[in-house]
Amino acid sequence: MSVSRGTSARPPDADLRVGATWSEAPCPVLVVDRHGGLVRVNQAARQLLPGAESGDWLRDAVPAWLYDAHQSISDGSRSTSAGPLSGRINDRLLEAHPTSGDNGDVVWWLLDETDRRLAESALSDARTRTEILSEVSSALLSTLNVPRCMEVAASMAAEHFAEAAVLIAPPHGKRYPLTYACRGGPVRQVTRKIEAVEVPGLTEALRGFPPVPARWINPEDIPGWLIPDGFAGPVGSVIVTPLPGHGVPAGALVLLRSSTEQAFTEGEEVFARLFAARAGAALSAARLYTEQATITGTLMRELLPPTLNRVHGVEYAGGYRAAKDHERIGGDFYDVHPGSDPTQESLVVLGDVAGKGLDAAVLTGKIRNTLHALLPLADDHERVLNLLNGALISSHSTRFATLVLASVRRRGGRVQVRLTSAGHLPPLIVRADGTVEEVATGGTLVGVLPTVATNTVRTVLEPGETCLLYTDGITEARGGPLGDELFGEHRLRRALAECAGMPAEAVVERVQMLTAQWLGAGRHDDMALVAISAPKTGLLTVVNGHASRQNSRRDM
């Protein structure tokens, strides 16, 4: 029997047992005989393949991928159980599922996968973008260093969005910090004077206004200073987007693609804005941290005890350790206010504010500033302490303080000292022969009663002798073999007896070392101490208000 072109080998009304309702299936269904002729075409298939009718040849009605698949089943090289195939018909993506019918016929069930694949692609893109944003957030928030944060932001923008990225930070005067990054290349940071108006949308972005759509920006308008070194080819597409910050803009981000790359899509613009929002928040946090760290550092320098040395022929040394190792300031403090010349007394102050940490340190700052203002009255210790007492009471502070004042002046080889305690531990003096004496000065607390009652004691330090002022953090340091025993005054006296003839700095270091060993890893209060020593030998020479010493026996 001969078969003519365009006519199926089987009549369209032949009996076919493929199910009573196959023709009403919602998906396109084609029934094809072993010769490649269309036996049945349901209504859904006619809508997908206009003009396809029973009796036509399959090769004339469907794309090659479906015809070839049918041929491979007909010649036995492929089984109908091998699974579906996929391909496009017109603008739709379909999966073709073959099943066997009677007389060697094959029923092709065509399932439209276009929307599902688009949804899967969109979901995959969303997951990828979420992963990128998560990676960006992790990388940007791992540093609070502003230049490093700018470098990471520009580098990741070039890696994920464009061939090149430029991050423009808010200006310092008329100069802008710029961070250039090319994909796979190094990051370069410069500060230069630029004209932001030369870049369409950049002025608005730096002010935090919504971005100009990329399709509105003519790449030919991009100035040369915006294009990083190593950027390949002319600019073909540009995104300019703001970097939103905390209250104020954190800068702007410019993304560049060459003319050989695909132009930025609307979806990519939206994603770039999400990236810019993360980068802007990280940059803003880094700048805020830097500003706060700078302010904290400035205030910290004012609250920290000063470095002591020789003043007007007298040796001074100080030591301080906060209650917690991670803190630098606390409630203990000391100061040395040099006299205007060697004939005038220098005022030494050591105090202990109730409490510890930052709150106590704030009050120490107030006390130190108040005492500095009262220096003209330093000749009268009791008056100074009462004026300070009134200032604390009037401030309604709930904290109080103990203090000891020492007015120090060198006369020949000896050092004259006036000592006044206000509720503080009495000073200890180490004599040249190793004897340790307690100075019998005492008084009431500062900041509690309307007036402060004190008594002042005068003493003299011979060459090689030291007067030690200290806080109770030294004697109450709890440690030892069992970790619960106080260091105590008796151990402090024993340590000082071993320091006879030592300079002030050595005395302080010795006491600090012994208390640290006693403490071990135990908890402790703030600790402060000041040593005032009369040098053993030396000819006093005053230079710029500070004394130096020449070898001589004249002061002995």
Side-chain angles (χ1 to χ4, degrees):
M1 181 179 75
S2 63
V3 180
S4 63
R5 178 178 176 83
T7 304
S8 171
R10 290 186 52 206
D13 57 349
D15 180 37
L16 190 69
R17 298 178 215 160
V18 295
T21 61
W22 72 268
S23 61
E24 299 175 1
C27 64
V29 179
L30 303 175
V31 182
V32 188
D33 64 24
R34 67 171 63 91
H35 303 291
L38 286 171
V39 179
R40 290 284 188 273
V41 180
N42 73 349
Q43 185 60 33
R46 291 190 181 93
Q47 293 177 355
L48 177 68
L49 301 168
E53 295 291 343
S54 300
D56 291 345
W57 290 111
L58 180 66
R59 64 172 176 267
D60 297 329
V62 301
W65 66 270
L66 183 56
Y67 174 74
D68 293 340
H70 181 78
Q71 288 295 100
S72 64
I73 291 176
S74 298
D75 62 21
S77 59
R78 179 183 176 88
S79 170
T80 55
S81 61
L85 300 95
S86 62
R88 288 194 170 274
I89 297 179
N90 300 324
D91 59 345
R92 310 300 292 176
L93 179 66
L94 293 101
E95 277 190 356
H97 296 256
T99 58
S100 297
D102 292 337
N103 303 319
D105 296 331
V106 177
V107 182
W108 288 98
W109 306 80
L110 305 180
L111 304 181
D112 193 334
E113 295 291 299
T114 307
D115 294 336
R116 184 176 69 84
R117 294 290 180 90
L118 288 175
E120 288 178 348
S121 178
L123 179 60
S124 176
D125 290 344
R127 287 174 176 171
T128 301
R129 292 180 177 183
T130 300
E131 291 173 359
I132 292 174
L133 291 178
S134 177
E135 177 189 354
V136 166
S137 297
S138 177
L140 290 174
L141 295 176
S142 66
T143 177
L144 290 173
N145 179 278
V146 175
R148 174 59 182 161
C149 194
M150 294 171 62
E151 179 181 333
V152 171
S155 177
M156 298 192 79
E159 176 184 353
H160 293 295
F161 298 99
E163 292 175 86
V166 184
L167 195 151
I168 301 100
H172 302 299
K174 295 184 178 180
R175 300 178 67 83
Y176 290 77
L178 304 176
T179 303
Y180 296 93
C182 285
R183 185 186 300 163
V187 177
R188 185 169 65 97
Q189 294 183 311
V190 299
T191 300
R192 62 171 55 169
K193 186 177 180 180
I194 64 172
E195 294 295 337
V197 295
E198 294 179 352
V199 182
L202 180 56
T203 301
E204 293 79 3
L206 289 170
R207 294 177 179 175
F209 294 143
V212 174
R215 64 183 182 276
W216 292 3
I217 301 177
N218 184 0
E220 296 179 358
D221 295 336
I222 300 302
W225 60 261
L226 191 61
I227 302 175
D229 295 337
F231 182 77
V235 178
S237 187
V238 184
I239 288 179
V240 179
T241 184
L243 296 172
H246 298 298
V248 295
L253 179 66
V254 179
L255 303 176
L256 304 173
R257 283 182 179 174
S258 67
S259 56
T260 59
E261 290 282 321
Q262 178 184 357
F264 290 108
T265 64
E266 185 174 344
E268 288 175 324
E269 286 190 69
V270 173
F271 189 32
R273 293 173 200 166
L274 293 176
F275 172 88
R278 303 288 179 96
L283 278 169
S284 185
R287 289 198 180 98
L288 181 61
Y289 171 81
T290 301
E291 291 174 2
Q292 291 179 338
T294 301
I295 294 171
T296 301
T298 302
L299 295 175
M300 191 77 73
R301 285 193 295 271
E302 293 298 318
L303 294 174
L304 284 173
T307 301
L308 304 184
N309 48 35
R310 179 179 287 214
V311 178
H312 298 328
V314 181
E315 290 183 355
Y316 298 96
Y320 177 78
R321 181 177 177 181
K324 296 181 180 179
D325 292 336
H326 65 275
E327 295 178 346
R328 299 176 59 195
I329 56 177
D332 289 6
F333 65 96
Y334 60 79
D335 276 309
V336 174
H337 303 282
S340 57
D341 59 63
T343 65
Q344 302 298 314
E345 291 180 322
S346 297
L347 181 65
V348 182
V349 182
L350 182 135
D352 183 356
V353 171
K356 56 179 70 72
L358 182 59
D359 290 339
V362 170
L363 185 57
T364 68
K366 293 180 180 179
I367 292 175
R368 292 171 69 187
N369 290 334
T370 302
L371 289 172
H372 191 274
L374 295 174
L375 283 179
L377 307 176
D379 288 345
D380 189 340
H381 287 182
E382 187 171 5
R383 185 181 181 189
V384 168
L385 290 171
N386 272 289
L387 289 171
L388 175 63
N389 182 70
L392 292 184
I393 291 176
S394 64
S395 69
H396 305 291
S397 173
T398 58
R399 297 179 184 272
F400 59 87
T402 66
L403 287 94
V404 60
L405 305 182
S407 291
V408 184
R409 176 169 51 194
R410 178 167 172 169
R411 284 291 180 264
R414 309 167 76 194
V415 174
Q416 299 176 348
V417 185
R418 288 190 300 119
L419 294 159
T420 304
S421 173
H424 201 82
L425 296 173
L428 298 175
I429 295 178
V430 187
R431 298 300 182 185
D433 61 358
T435 303
V436 179
E437 300 177 0
E438 181 180 289
V439 179
T441 178
T444 55
L445 302 171
V446 177
V448 177
L449 302 175
T451 60
V452 176
T454 64
N455 71 293
T456 299
V457 175
R458 295 177 182 270
T459 188
V460 175
L461 302 179
E462 299 292 340
E465 296 181 343
T466 298
C467 177
L468 183 72
L469 316 180
Y470 62 97
T471 61
D472 58 9
I474 301 291
T475 54
E476 295 179 3
R478 194 175 293 274
L482 299 179
D484 60 351
E485 188 177 354
L486 298 180
F487 186 71
E489 187 178 332
H490 64 287
R491 288 188 178 85
L492 177 59
R493 285 173 173 265
R494 188 190 312 159
L496 291 176
E498 298 171 353
C499 295
M502 290 184 180
E505 186 174 356
V507 174
V508 169
E509 288 182 356
R510 175 68 175 169
V511 173
Q512 285 187 308
M513 180 188 70
L514 291 176
T515 52
Q517 290 175 347
W518 183 258
L519 279 167
R523 299 173 62 183
H524 60 88
D525 198 356
D526 298 327
M527 296 185 290
L529 64 163
V530 173
I532 307 167
S533 297
K536 280 187 175 181
T537 61
L539 176 64
L540 179 62
T541 303
V542 178
V543 179
N544 294 330
H546 295 276
S548 61
R549 175 173 83 204
Q550 299 177 356
N551 291 331
S552 173
R553 300 178 60 88
R554 204 179 312 179
D555 288 333
M556 293 298 293

